[in-house]
Amino acid sequence: MKYIYKLLIPGLIILIAFLLLPNFSFAQSRFIVCNGPDCTICDFLMLVKNAITFVIELCIVLAALFFAGGAIIMMTARESEEQVKMGRKMMTDSVIGAAIALSSWVIVGT
């Protein structure tokens, strides 16, 4: 069990780093929509919207990774009922988290 976490956690960190590096290197075009003194309150609200969208996308990616991690834990459980329950709980929690993230995006958008 600990062997799985030793592989899963660094793999998640590396995957998240690869997902975030392009967003930080192209941050100006992704988040900030104005240049210098011509920024208005609408540009600030667009910045907030872009930041919320980025966080939602990150939450969905993390939920998918945790769902896959729960599936891996269940597949490698080998008759251990405790690990099957833990993997199932991990999968259901990731689905619930993704549903909360998407519903908050719909509520804010509405």
Side-chain angles (χ1 to χ4, degrees):
M1 181 65 192
K2 291 184 180 182
Y3 180 72
I4 293 173
Y5 285 125
K6 287 181 181 179
L7 292 176
L8 188 64
I9 300 298
L12 287 175
I13 291 171
I14 290 170
L15 186 63
I16 290 170
F18 279 122
L19 291 173
L20 291 179
L21 285 176
N23 289 325
F24 288 130
S25 62
F26 298 114
Q28 185 155 359
S29 63
R30 179 174 175 118
F31 291 111
I32 301 172
V33 293
C34 65
N35 293 325
D38 62 340
C39 294
T40 62
I41 190 71
C42 293
D43 295 324
F44 176 73
L45 294 176
M46 186 60 82
L47 170 71
V48 171
K49 178 191 166 290
N50 291 342
I52 289 172
T53 303
F54 173 71
V55 170
I56 299 279
E57 290 171 357
L58 186 64
C59 288
I60 298 303
V61 168
L62 287 175
L65 291 175
F66 277 106
F67 188 85
I72 290 171
I73 289 173
M74 284 182 68
M75 287 187 295
T76 59
R78 291 188 188 176
E79 300 180 7
S80 173
E81 190 66 32
E82 187 176 304
Q83 284 186 344
V84 170
K85 286 181 184 178
M86 185 175 70
R88 186 175 296 137
K89 181 171 175 16
M90 195 171 178
M91 290 171 71
T92 55
D93 289 345
S94 68
V95 169
I96 290 170
I100 289 171
L102 288 176
S103 64
S104 68
W105 179 67
V106 168
I107 290 170
V108 168
T110 304

